[in-house]
Amino acid sequence: MIEHDDNSYEKLKKTLVEKFEDHFGTRPFFLVAAPARVNLIGEHIDYCDGFVLPLAINRHVMIAATPNGSERANLLSLMLPNQPATVMLDEPPKVSQPSWANVIRGVFDGFRNKDFWPLPGFDAVIHSNVPLGAGLSSSAALEVAAATMVESLLGIEINPKNKALLCQTAEHKFAGVPCGIMDQFASVFGKKDHMILIDCRSEEAQAIPFADDSVEIIIADTRVKHALSDGSYANRRKHTEIALSILGKDSWRDVTMEDLLSAEPNMNEQVFRRARHVVTEIDRTQRAAMALARGKTETVGQLMADSHKSLRDDFEVSCKELDIMVEAAWDIGEAGGVLGSRMTGGGFGGSTVTLARKDNAEEIMQKMAATYQAQTGIEPSIFATTAVDGAHSLGL
Ligand code: ADP
Ligand code: MG
């Protein structure tokens, strides 16, 4: 299915406010939004002190809320309407049921650790057009939206970097996912028409303009998810830690290809391949950021292809469906307006990202959908998107 995103932000807002009024009988007092992200290049290296190059996309988690004068937060997600959650705000939050709300409990706990406690009670409705588990980081968008909501409620603004880190900690401690900083940073620091180059060692984010405005970003969700948040991600992270300790270095940024080749005899073959992905991907990401900023979009295509192959063969986080979707785009090629394509996000399913000429985008999406469906029997979900601003509160 090709989804057309026109007006999706306004539609989301309208539905949310209406449902809030139906449910609580008043207009919301606060309304906030946090975007999802797609990563152009720099995969699985945010936890390796690498560089990553995501952008915030025109898909959001929005929260409408109003103070309720109690000690509790009543939370309703329109995506999971049968699982309302109540969180006590006068005792330390703990992992509990329903599990979808754990990352929000984690965000509340982050404010508690900053001495904003107890939080004032409130009623909230959450709505979103970010598919869950599609590799677009709906979890980070939910965390950052929740943190932005708490800021509104308290009438404060915490330092944006600390806000992103607070959300990352929530994901670590309350969802058990040892993620890097990319997703939460992209949702906080996103900027219209810009990519965000994040240096994961210094934890600094820099907005880089898309120099070529004839380019469109296509996201293709394979609609498969082979592994859930748990084992494989933590396992890949573990491999990179083992490799770094064999290399005897404190940071991947100090590791050269020569270092890696000299250490190869001391590593098992699998750990070596994981390490090779990290070293080459850090290099590719820096080169891609420079090329994109200079409008040399074509250069990026090869880097994206190399990134995909490295994730597929060395890091082994791709899957049959992602490979089919990416190859469908590669086959269309530059002549058909495709500049580059790769899997994006953690892998094992989820989405691909494709840079395409705007004029060809519709045709490219149709072709990718047809090829993928013919080869897998699965109907994908494909849409074109633009880079948008990070989390913010909205007027009503
Ligand atoms: P991804 O972040 O790639 O979309 P995850 O498995 O990390 O996939 O995150 C999905 C989880 O995020 C859900 O299980 C749920 O806990 C939470 N979540 C995200 N958006 C919503 C939403 N709109 N309503 C309820 N829970 C949500
Ligand atoms: Mg996630």
Side-chain angles (χ1 to χ4, degrees):
M1 188 175 62
I2 314 295
E3 290 180 39
H4 291 99
D5 249 5
D6 320 332
N7 258 332
S8 61
Y9 182 90
E10 286 305 321
K11 278 187 215 146
L12 192 67
K13 175 178 165 184
K14 185 165 178 287
T15 313
L16 175 59
V17 172
E18 280 170 12
K19 295 283 179 189
F20 186 96
E21 287 175 354
D22 288 352
H23 202 73
F24 294 112
T26 68
R27 278 187 67 81
F29 217 78
F30 306 111
L31 191 55
V32 299
R37 63 96 186 97
V38 69
N39 191 21
L40 279 183
I41 194 162
E43 211 66 77
H44 276 282
I45 53 171
D46 60 341
Y47 52 80
C48 294
D49 279 354
F51 288 97
V52 295
L53 193 63
L55 50 108
I57 60 171
N58 191 23
R59 293 281 177 130
H60 296 82
V61 171
M62 280 189 196
I63 306 182
T66 197
N68 65 13
S70 77
E71 306 76 47
R72 55 192 69 178
N74 297 312
L75 310 171
L76 175 73
S77 167
L78 299 181
M79 265 193 181
L80 305 166
N82 301 324
Q83 299 181 47
T86 298
V87 183
M88 297 307 296
L89 298 173
D90 54 355
E91 55 191 58
K94 288 192 199 59
V95 169
S96 176
Q97 291 298 325
S99 63
W100 69 266
N102 279 331
V103 292
I104 299 185
R105 295 184 183 97
V107 167
F108 294 167
D109 198 47
F111 280 91
R112 190 177 71 87
N113 289 329
K114 291 193 184 302
D115 283 336
F116 294 111
W117 201 258
L119 297 177
F122 64 93
D123 295 330
V125 178
I126 298 157
H127 198 23
S128 166
N129 54 14
V130 187
L132 305 184
L136 305 178
S137 208
S138 69
S139 56
L142 179 60
E143 290 147 17
V144 173
T148 308
M149 221 285 301
V150 173
E151 285 181 315
S152 296
L153 196 68
L154 295 172
I156 58 161
E157 273 183 27
I158 57 176
N159 168 293
K161 179 169 162 179
N162 291 338
K163 176 171 158 182
L165 293 172
L166 180 157
C167 292
Q168 181 202 20
T169 305
E171 179 126 2
H172 285 191
K173 289 199 187 156
F174 282 73
V177 180
C179 58
I181 63 172
M182 170 169 66
D183 304 348
Q184 293 79 8
F185 267 58
S187 187
V188 169
F189 291 104
K191 188 169 171 190
K192 188 175 183 308
D193 299 329
H194 287 67
M195 305 158 282
I196 311 299
L197 180 65
I198 304 170
D199 178 337
C200 300
R201 176 154 73 170
S202 65
E203 297 183 334
E204 297 299 332
Q206 186 190 346
I208 297 191
F210 270 107
D212 183 345
D213 62 9
S214 72
V215 175
E216 188 116 296
I217 295 139
I218 295 173
I219 295 172
D221 180 0
T222 60
R223 312 269 290 263
V224 300
K225 191 73 200 152
H226 293 298
L228 297 175
S229 60
D230 50 7
S232 357
Y233 187 94
N235 164 282
R236 293 306 185 282
R237 190 166 177 156
K238 187 86 204 146
H239 283 167
T240 65
E241 285 162 8
I242 294 169
L244 194 61
S245 82
I246 295 174
L247 283 155
K249 302 273 187 181
D250 292 330
S251 169
W252 280 105
R253 290 277 279 287
D254 303 328
V255 179
T256 63
M257 203 48 165
E258 290 77 58
D259 295 332
L260 182 60
L261 292 172
S262 347
E264 187 178 0
N266 308 324
M267 284 181 196
N268 84 33
E269 186 268 338
Q270 195 182 48
V271 168
F272 172 75
R273 283 190 284 112
R274 307 292 189 246
R276 184 165 58 191
H277 169 72
V278 175
V279 173
T280 56
E281 187 78 355
I282 289 176
D283 175 58
R284 280 188 289 270
T285 306
Q286 288 170 281
R287 289 198 283 151
M290 270 190 285
L292 279 167
R294 294 194 184 123
K296 299 200 179 306
T297 327
E298 289 84 357
T299 315
V300 181
Q302 189 58 45
L303 294 166
M304 289 175 83
D306 291 346
S307 168
H308 184 80
K309 289 173 191 163
S310 177
L311 289 157
R312 182 188 67 194
D313 303 334
D314 277 356
F315 220 65
E316 293 179 285
V317 291
S318 189
C319 62
K320 188 183 79 191
E321 292 84 357
L322 283 169
D323 293 343
I324 290 172
M325 190 73 89
V326 165
E327 277 157 27
W330 290 348
D331 285 348
I332 298 167
E334 236 181 284
V338 169
L339 303 163
S341 188
R342 56 180 285 278
M343 60 159 276
T344 185
F348 306 106
S351 301
T352 72
V353 59
T354 301
L355 288 184
R357 291 276 166 228
K358 252 185 201 138
D359 291 347
N360 304 99
E362 192 63 37
E363 194 187 339
I364 292 169
M365 291 194 285
Q366 301 286 356
K367 278 191 186 160
M368 284 170 70
T371 307
Y372 180 77
Q373 191 158 354
Q375 291 189 35
T376 61
I378 303 163
E379 187 185 16
S381 168
I382 304 188
F383 61 96
T385 194
T386 49
V388 302
D389 286 331
H392 52 276
S393 65
L394 295 71
L396 276 161

